[in-house]
């Protein structure tokens, strides 16, 4: 991973703007899941660290924009750039990182450049759907999963496919792996929003529903409730809710096994991902660690 960090540092330096270097230095790199995947799939490719750096810059840019869109005050346990520097700076920093990543991407094989570039269109479509879907309570599981695929899984899928091309491995199988890992990862993230505390999350707990996001446990809960209770859940959607209301949601979810049901789907998707790359023990281990994260 040191090679990826060095590539990222080199790209930031090449931007040649002190304000960007200083701001970028304050950002937490996060788990670097996408970069790790690329290095695991294409460990011997000399181009893999640069590809990983590009994908991490795109991901970082998307989070800067996402925090503006969500009006998030924190990111990865620290104050978000939009909160500390204002939305204008956060948007522009995102644009700079994103365009720098793209100027590097064009030096790659056309097929790789196309896969990564179109995944960014997909993730932007997913983000737009996410915003629109938060306007009203969404109880449609399929619609939710389609949005999740676009918003979170496409860049992971693209990273896995691009790395497979670099390594001369099966592109389709690695795509299936990346897609299902991405979906499973996001579902677990949605579960953790409900089951973890603020300290562990690095952002406020139970915040998705306040932001209007009806994640899987909420969709399952809605379908399990009696009609009066359904009305109550709908009345709480996209509002600041108090302790008692939060507790009511959590108790009802517990009663109807909604978190468990969501976790079962995450496990099924994870198994599909494992199945696609069963012979690659390291890729399987990434999935196992991810599932463990939710305990
Ligand atoms: C986080 O979702 C958001 C994403 C994974 C994608 C955001 C995508 C864009 C803003 C469009 C692409 C833009 C560029 C510049 C590449 P979340 O809000 O559910 O997760 P969170 O809890 O981590 O904020
Ligand atoms: Mg967000």
């Amino acid at each position: 991973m040191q090679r990826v960090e060095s590539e990222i540092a080199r790209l930031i330096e090449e931007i040649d703007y002190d304000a960007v270097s200083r701001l970028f230095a304050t950002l937490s790199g996060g788990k670097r899941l996408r970069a790790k995947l690329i290095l695991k799939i294409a460990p011997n490719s000399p181009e893999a660290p640069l590809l990983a750096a590009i994908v991490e810059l795109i991901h970082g840019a998307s989070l800067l924009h996402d925090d503006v869109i969500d009006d998030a005050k924190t990111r990865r346990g620290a104050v978000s750039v939009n909160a500390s520097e204002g939305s204008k700076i956060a948007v522009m920093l995102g644009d700079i990182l994103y365009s720098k990543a793209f100027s590097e991407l064009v030096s790659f094989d056309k097929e790789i450049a196309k896969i990564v570039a179109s995944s960014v269109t997909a993730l932007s479509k997913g983000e737009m759907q996410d915003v629109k879907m938060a306007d009203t309570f969404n109880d449609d599981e399929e619609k939710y999963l389609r949005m999740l695929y676009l918003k979170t899984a496409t860049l992971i899928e693209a990273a896995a496919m691009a790395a497979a091309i670099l390594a001369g491995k099966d592109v389709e199988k690695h795509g299936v792996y990346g897609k299902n890992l991405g979906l499973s990862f996001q579902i677990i993230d949605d579960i953790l929003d409900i089951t973890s505390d603020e300290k562990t999350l690095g952002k406020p707990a139970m915040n998705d529903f306040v932001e209007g996001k009806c994640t899987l446990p909420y969709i399952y809960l809605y379908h399990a409730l009696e009609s009066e209770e359904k009305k109550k859940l709908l009345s709480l959607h996209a509002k600041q809710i108090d302790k008692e209301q939060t507790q009511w949601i959590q108790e009802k979810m517990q009663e109807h096994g909604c978190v468990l049901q969501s976790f079962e789907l995450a496990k099924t998707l994870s198994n599909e991902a494992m199945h696609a790359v069963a012979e690659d023990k390291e890729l399987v281990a990434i999935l196992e660690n991810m599932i463990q994260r939710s305990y």
Side-chain angles (χ1 to χ4, degrees):
M1 278 302 289
Q2 195 43 52
R3 288 179 304 160
V4 179
E5 297 304 332
S6 304
E7 286 293 42
I8 293 177
R10 183 176 66 79
L11 299 184
I12 298 300
E13 212 171 300
E14 275 180 18
I15 293 168
D16 191 24
Y17 186 17
D18 280 352
V20 167
S21 302
R22 263 186 278 116
L23 256 185
F24 190 80
T26 67
L27 301 180
S28 150
K31 294 178 282 295
R32 298 269 195 245
L33 169 73
R34 293 151 189 82
K36 282 183 190 146
L37 268 189
I38 291 171
L39 294 192
K40 287 256 184 307
I41 296 171
N44 301 319
S45 160
E47 292 171 283
L50 178 58
L51 179 66
I54 289 170
V55 170
E56 287 296 332
L57 287 191
I58 294 173
H59 177 56
S62 79
L63 295 182
L64 285 163
H65 285 191
D66 177 67
D67 284 343
V68 172
I69 292 165
D70 289 344
D71 197 18
K73 304 292 175 228
T74 53
R75 167 64 62 189
R76 294 164 175 164
V79 180
S80 61
V81 174
N82 48 302
S84 64
E85 312 293 321
S87 289
K88 292 179 186 176
I89 296 294
V91 169
M92 292 317 303
L93 181 62
D95 288 344
I96 291 169
L97 299 183
Y98 168 66
S99 50
K100 178 63 183 167
F102 264 62
S103 9
E104 294 296 317
L105 186 60
V106 295
S107 68
F108 277 80
D109 174 272
K110 212 169 166 187
E111 204 187 344
I112 291 180
K114 182 121 202 273
I115 287 173
V116 175
S118 30
S119 81
V120 183
T121 310
L123 89 124
S124 305
K125 276 164 60 185
E127 180 81 349
M128 194 150 156
Q129 287 178 11
D130 193 23
V131 170
K132 286 167 96 61
M133 278 164 69
D135 287 344
T136 50
F137 189 100
N138 170 61
D139 69 342
D140 183 339
E141 179 181 354
E142 290 304 315
K143 190 174 169 187
Y144 178 70
L145 291 175
R146 278 198 300 275
M147 179 278 290
L148 222 53
Y149 164 60
L150 292 174
K151 189 184 74 165
T152 325
T154 43
L155 186 58
I156 301 176
E157 178 185 41
M161 289 170 82
I165 296 174
L166 282 183
K169 292 182 176 169
D170 189 313
V171 179
E172 201 189 322
K173 279 187 183 167
H174 284 83
V176 171
Y177 171 81
K179 174 181 176 175
N180 288 306
L181 176 138
L183 282 170
S184 184
F185 178 83
Q186 187 60 43
I187 293 171
I188 289 172
D189 222 56
D190 293 348
I191 292 173
L192 291 174
D193 178 82
I194 295 162
T195 58
S196 291
D197 57 18
E198 180 160 358
K199 205 163 150 254
T200 320
L201 288 173
K203 58 184 179 185
M206 294 288 283
N207 196 47
D208 284 343
F209 199 56
V210 175
E211 284 184 353
K213 294 177 183 179
C214 303
T215 58
L216 274 189
Y218 292 93
I219 295 174
Y220 294 150
L221 177 62
Y222 178 80
H223 289 288
L225 291 176
E226 306 289 338
S227 97
E228 279 311 304
E229 294 173 324
K230 275 192 170 76
K231 279 191 203 147
K232 178 168 177 178
L233 184 66
L234 292 183
S235 77
L236 301 178
H237 174 248
K239 290 201 183 81
Q240 279 299 340
I241 51 176
D242 63 26
K243 221 170 159 187
E244 199 185 310
Q245 292 162 328
T246 305
Q247 216 172 345
W248 179 78
I249 293 177
Q250 284 172 328
E251 276 168 16
K252 285 290 164 187
M253 278 188 179
Q254 174 78 17
E255 186 182 325
H256 296 288
C258 305
V259 167
L260 210 66
Q261 196 182 345
S262 311
F263 188 62
E264 285 306 320
L265 180 61
K267 261 203 325 217
T268 304
L269 291 164
S270 207
N271 285 338
E272 279 174 33
M274 278 187 211
H275 189 69
V277 294
E279 65 285 355
D280 189 328
K281 296 285 165 279
E282 293 204 44
L283 291 185
V284 169
I286 290 183
L287 281 160
E288 283 165 350
N289 284 338
M290 196 183 71
I291 290 289
Q292 290 292 338
R293 183 170 80 100
S294 51
Y295 289 125

